[in-house]
């Protein structure tokens, strides 16, 4: 069961806020599902084409702060004076806001001509005419409340309730993905924020583009995630020199000691402009000494925490790679969303920098596991490179980042594993993975001897000399392994694996994947509320689990992977 019918079922029994978010997203999600299926099957729309379409739409859009009680019809009537509106939506973030996309950029110019710089008495206004506007409304009256798009994920308690009402674990993982994934509106808002910032940077570099990367575009983004973006200056550096006359012109430019110094200087100036002149941009921090210099701030009108870097093309290529993997099989995204949700609930991952496993590392671990299936669900990165055509050739800073862009060239193997089986064997696989000696490498799709002593070694897909999990310490890795073993054991138990009949109109006991999100999992106590017999200590249960896995005669995912490597 999927699509709008599935979401209607999800809405039943949810708290009002979650009901509204899920119900109002039905049409958008259904539309997005229909649009994505041909892309995966035929490869008709490339990653680059999707990004360019989104960026062009953002340049035809405005973000408007509205009164709390806005008359939607009157609002639209006023704006259509400037041109045809393709789409619009309202949301709440420190007030009521509307995103309006016009059919033509000329409409933006017309709208700006009718907009005033506000008059203030005790302070001066910076006269920067951005596409972030405020609507003033005179008079009062009773107006229908617009339909607001929710920009935040459901709480963990609401999520557990929604999952517990499903009929199978496969349905749980599918519905979890629908509930957490970025909506079409949220993605549009993210591209609009990038476009608004580009208006600031364009004062210095008219041909620059600010591009989102990471979770916003890689198809694994969760509602509420950060907005990562980079200042793309490549079009400025592109040469249009014509030969034949023996003469050529060059711009006179300032020169820096290194590319890093130039990047730091550019970000410092752009960061200062964002801080002083960017409406809605607060808490600006210029973190220029980091390995990848960045400007960090919060965009208050959208509610997004933002990180701006410069010319981060390798990160964009990694986003394209994840997007490609996410389109090949729907189980990829569903398993990634579920594992990442499980990891965040049990503090395996964190939004605070530290020794935790990152979402990117965890996603690569899921991809690597899916490459180990028999038959494999995902191709290796080397196989994607072999399928690439001449136009796909891509070398960034000496790193070969070539991958196929035409999905129709990829032949998928016939693997019919259920999501339940994949989830169970993911936990078994990493609960028994030889982390002390082996590394994870999705380019080769097999374990390799670790080139360094870091507790967890995951090779960067494109910068192959780097370990993307170098920050993870032994304690955090051990927590991950123990939780994998505990979760694998729980999924073998009948009372967890099957939906309980002890439900009432107001309550459905957590079961299946929902049970794995309970605090008792990380404490090693199991699910006491649904267990009548006394549990063995966690260490004993884990030992028994490992023994049972060995008895299976090498049929576990980990042993399958090892056998494949030996072949």
């Amino acid at each position: 069961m999927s699509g709008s019918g599935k979401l209607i079922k999800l809405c039943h029994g949810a708290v009002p806020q979650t009901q509204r978010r899920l119900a109002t997203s039905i049409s958008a999600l259904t539309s997005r599902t229909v649009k994505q299926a041909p892309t995966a099957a035929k490869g008709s729309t490339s990653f680059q084409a999707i990004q360019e379409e989104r960026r062009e739409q953002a340049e035809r859009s405005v973000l408007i702060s509205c009164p709390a009680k806005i008359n939607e019809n009157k609002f639209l009537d006023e704006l259509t004076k400037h041109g045809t509106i393709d789409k619009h939506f309202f949301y709440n973030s420190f007030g009521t806001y509307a995103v309006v996309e016009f059919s033509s950029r000329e409409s933006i110019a017309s709208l700006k001509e009718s907009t005033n710089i506000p008059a203030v008495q005790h302070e001066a206004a910076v006269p920067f005419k951005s596409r972030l506007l405020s609507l003033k409304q005179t008079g009062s009256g009773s107006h229908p409340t617009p339909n607001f798009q929710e920009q935040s994920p459901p709480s963990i308690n609401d999520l557990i309730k929604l999952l517990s009402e499903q009929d199978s674990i496969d349905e749980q993982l599918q519905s979890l993905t629908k509930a957490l994934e970025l909506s079409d509106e949220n993605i549009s808002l993210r591209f609009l924020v990038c476009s608004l910032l580009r208006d600031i940077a364009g004062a210095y570099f008219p041909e620059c583009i600010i591009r989102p990367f990471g979770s916003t575009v890689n198809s694994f983004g969760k509602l509420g995630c950060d907005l990562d973006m980079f200042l793309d200056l490549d079009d400025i550096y592109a040469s249009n020199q014509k030969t034949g006359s023996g003469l050529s012109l060059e711009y006179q430019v300032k020169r820096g000691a290194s590319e890093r110094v130039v990047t730091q200087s550019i970000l410092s100036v752009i960061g200062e402009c964002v801080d002083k002149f960017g409406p809605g941009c607060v808490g600006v921090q210029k973190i220029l000494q980091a390995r990848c210099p960045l400007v960090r701030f919060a965009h208050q009108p959208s509610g997004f925490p933002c990180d701006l870097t410069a010319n981060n093309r390798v990160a964009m290529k990694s986003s394209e790679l994840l997007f490609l993997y996410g389109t090949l099989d729907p189980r990829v995204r569903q398993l990634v969303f579920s594992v990442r949700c499980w990891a965040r609930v049990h503090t395996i991952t964190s939004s605070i920098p530290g020794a935790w496993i990152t979402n990117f590392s965890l996603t690569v671990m899921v991809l690597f596991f899916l490459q180990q299936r028999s038959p494999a669900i995902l191709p290796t990165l080397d196989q994607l490179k072999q399928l690439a055509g001449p136009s796909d050739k891509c070398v960034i800073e000496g790193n070969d980042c070539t991958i196929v862009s035409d999905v129709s060239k990829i032949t998928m193997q016939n693997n019919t594993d259920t999501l339940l089986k994949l989830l169970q064997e993911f936990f078994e696989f990493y609960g028994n993975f030889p982390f002390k000696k082996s590394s994870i490498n999705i380019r080769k799709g097999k374990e390799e001897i670790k080139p360094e002593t870091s507790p967890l070694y995951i090779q960067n897909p494109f910068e192959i000399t780097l370990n993307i999990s170098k920050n993870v310490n032994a304690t955090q890795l051990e927590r991950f392994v123990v939780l994998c073993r505990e979760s694998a054991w729980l999924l073998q138990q009948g009372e967890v694996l099957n939906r309980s009949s002890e439900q009432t109109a107001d309550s459905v006991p957590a079961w299946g994947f929902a049970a794995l999100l309970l605090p008792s999992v990380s404490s090693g106590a199991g699910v006491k509320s649904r267990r009548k017999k006394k549990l063995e200590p966690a260490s004993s249960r884990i030992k028994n689990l490992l023994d049972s896995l060995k008895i299976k005669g090498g049929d576990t995912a980990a042993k399958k992977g090892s056998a494949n490597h030996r072949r």
Side-chain angles (χ1 to χ4, degrees):
M1 187 176 181
S2 59
S4 59
K6 183 64 181 175
L7 286 174
I8 291 172
K9 183 175 180 182
L10 281 176
C11 292
H12 177 69
V15 296
Q17 181 183 14
T18 304
Q19 286 179 332
R20 286 195 298 270
R21 185 176 70 79
L22 291 174
T24 57
S25 298
I26 289 175
S27 60
L29 289 173
T30 304
S31 173
R32 184 165 30 156
T33 302
V34 171
K35 291 178 181 178
Q36 286 179 344
T39 301
K42 301 178 182 179
S44 57
T45 307
S46 69
F47 175 80
Q48 290 85 356
I50 292 173
Q51 306 316 302
E52 287 306 307
E53 181 183 3
R54 288 280 190 183
R55 188 170 67 84
E56 196 275 332
Q57 290 170 345
E59 291 179 354
R60 293 186 277 107
S61 302
V62 292
L63 180 58
I64 303 177
S65 174
C66 302
K69 295 182 179 180
I70 178 72
N71 185 323
E72 184 173 3
N73 292 332
K74 188 175 180 181
F75 171 80
L76 293 176
D77 288 342
E78 179 65 26
L79 291 184
T80 50
K81 294 177 182 178
H82 303 281
T84 304
I85 295 174
D86 278 355
K87 64 181 179 182
H88 77 284
F89 62 90
F90 292 87
Y91 70 92
N92 282 316
S93 174
F94 301 99
T96 299
Y97 286 87
V99 173
V100 180
E101 179 191 322
F102 288 97
S103 296
S104 169
R105 294 191 192 184
E106 284 72 23
S107 299
I108 301 293
S110 173
L111 182 63
K112 280 188 170 184
E113 287 178 2
S114 68
T115 302
N116 303 313
I117 297 292
V120 291
Q121 294 180 345
H122 303 294
E123 55 187 9
V126 176
F128 176 57
K129 295 184 177 181
S130 76
R131 284 175 288 134
L132 174 56
L133 312 174
S134 293
L135 178 68
K136 303 301 180 183
Q137 179 174 274
T138 58
S140 60
S142 177
H143 308 298
T145 303
N147 180 28
F148 290 97
Q149 293 291 329
E150 182 61 52
Q151 303 298 313
S152 302
S155 69
I156 186 60
N157 289 335
D158 289 341
L159 193 59
I160 288 174
K161 183 175 181 181
L162 290 172
L163 299 183
S164 297
E165 293 175 346
Q166 305 313 301
D167 295 326
S168 69
I169 291 182
D170 277 43
E171 288 188 10
Q172 287 184 336
L173 271 56
Q174 292 162 4
S175 60
L176 178 140
T177 302
K178 292 292 185 185
L180 295 182
E181 66 185 359
L182 296 180
S183 64
D184 187 72
E185 292 80 8
N186 192 275
I187 296 174
S188 295
L189 179 58
R190 289 167 180 270
F191 273 84
L192 178 53
V193 172
C194 291
S195 185
L196 295 176
L197 290 171
R198 189 266 166 207
D199 291 344
I200 298 175
Y204 293 93
F205 308 106
E207 297 170 350
C208 76
I209 300 173
I210 292 186
R211 302 184 186 276
F213 68 94
S215 297
T216 297
V217 298
N218 66 19
S219 80
F220 296 102
K222 168 190 164 186
L223 285 171
C225 66
D226 293 357
L227 172 55
D228 296 314
M229 47 196 158
F230 75 95
L231 179 66
D232 187 352
L233 303 173
D234 281 354
D235 285 345
I236 300 177
Y237 287 110
S239 174
N240 59 356
Q241 179 178 324
K242 296 181 180 179
T243 60
S245 66
L247 300 174
S248 65
L249 289 171
E250 291 182 343
Y251 289 100
Q252 289 199 17
V253 296
K254 281 274 191 178
R255 299 182 184 275
S258 66
E259 184 175 351
R260 177 179 175 84
V261 170
V262 171
T263 296
Q264 290 172 324
S265 300
I266 292 172
L267 286 177
S268 179
V269 172
I270 300 301
E272 193 71 15
C273 290
V274 169
D275 189 19
K276 302 300 183 183
F277 308 140
C281 299
V282 299
V284 177
Q285 297 175 280
K286 294 184 286 185
I287 308 173
L288 304 178
Q289 300 305 318
R291 176 181 171 271
C292 184
L294 63 98
V295 175
R296 176 167 291 164
F297 60 96
H299 188 257
Q300 202 169 49
S302 64
F304 298 143
C306 301
D307 283 348
L308 174 65
T309 58
N311 276 3
N312 201 348
R313 295 176 61 218
V314 174
M316 176 60 90
K317 203 64 182 180
S318 296
S319 301
E320 181 181 355
L321 175 65
L322 295 191
F323 175 85
L324 179 61
Y325 276 131
T327 62
L328 293 178
D329 190 305
R331 292 172 296 177
V332 177
R333 294 180 68 245
Q334 290 155 2
L335 190 62
V336 168
F337 270 92
S338 302
V339 170
R340 281 170 42 162
C341 177
W342 166 86
R344 178 54 62 91
V345 166
H346 298 302
T347 64
I348 294 297
T349 58
S350 174
S351 58
I352 303 172
W356 298 275
I357 299 174
T358 65
N359 275 332
F360 181 53
S361 293
L362 197 59
T363 301
V364 173
M365 293 174 78
V366 174
L367 300 179
F368 182 74
F369 162 73
L370 294 175
Q371 291 174 336
Q372 306 298 298
R373 309 304 298 155
S374 181
I377 292 178
L378 292 178
T380 67
L381 182 50
D382 277 349
Q383 289 170 333
L384 296 179
K385 177 183 174 181
Q386 292 169 1
L387 295 171
S391 62
D392 296 325
K393 182 69 176 177
C394 179
V395 178
I396 303 174
E397 299 172 0
N399 300 296
D400 191 346
C401 302
T402 303
I403 56 173
V404 63
S405 59
D406 185 353
V407 182
S408 65
K409 292 182 178 180
I410 303 172
T411 302
M412 300 294 290
Q413 299 189 56
N414 185 26
N415 182 299
T416 59
D417 288 347
T418 64
L419 284 169
L420 169 57
K421 182 176 182 180
L422 292 176
L423 184 67
Q424 286 176 321
E425 298 199 3
F426 171 86
F427 290 133
E428 293 177 9
F429 182 82
Y430 284 112
N432 298 281
F433 191 85
F435 288 108
K436 288 186 178 180
K437 66 177 183 179
S438 298
S439 65
I440 292 170
N441 182 347
I442 64 169
R443 179 170 286 277
K444 302 296 182 184
K446 63 181 181 180
E447 300 171 23
E448 293 186 327
I449 300 299
K450 285 202 297 188
E452 62 179 50
T453 58
S454 298
L456 176 61
Y457 194 100
I458 305 175
Q459 186 189 82
N460 188 305
F462 295 120
E463 298 177 281
I464 60 176
T465 60
L466 298 181
N467 173 14
I468 65 173
S469 56
K470 194 176 182 67
N471 63 301
V472 180
N473 62 26
T475 300
Q476 293 301 320
L477 178 60
E478 180 62 22
R479 287 191 68 245
F480 170 74
V481 170
V482 170
L483 276 167
C484 281
R485 293 172 177 174
E486 183 73 10
S487 297
W489 182 85
L490 284 170
L491 285 176
Q492 290 185 335
Q493 311 310 304
E495 56 265 51
V496 171
L497 198 58
N498 300 311
R499 182 172 177 174
S500 172
S501 59
E502 301 175 4
Q503 64 182 73
T504 66
D506 301 323
S507 173
V508 180
W511 68 280
F513 184 74
L516 300 188
L517 304 182
L518 298 174
S520 54
V521 176
S522 55
S523 67
V527 279
K528 293 182 179 179
S529 61
R530 295 186 301 283
R531 302 179 62 84
K532 295 182 180 180
K533 63 181 182 180
K534 185 177 180 181
L535 286 171
E536 300 172 84
S539 58
S540 299
R541 298 201 306 276
I542 292 170
K543 181 178 182 301
N544 291 337
L545 170 61
L546 295 177
D547 290 340
S548 68
L549 296 178
K550 293 176 182 178
I551 293 173
K552 291 181 180 179
D555 193 38
T556 66
K559 290 186 177 180
K560 288 180 184 177
S562 298
N564 289 336
H565 302 161
R566 289 193 295 271
R567 289 196 292 269

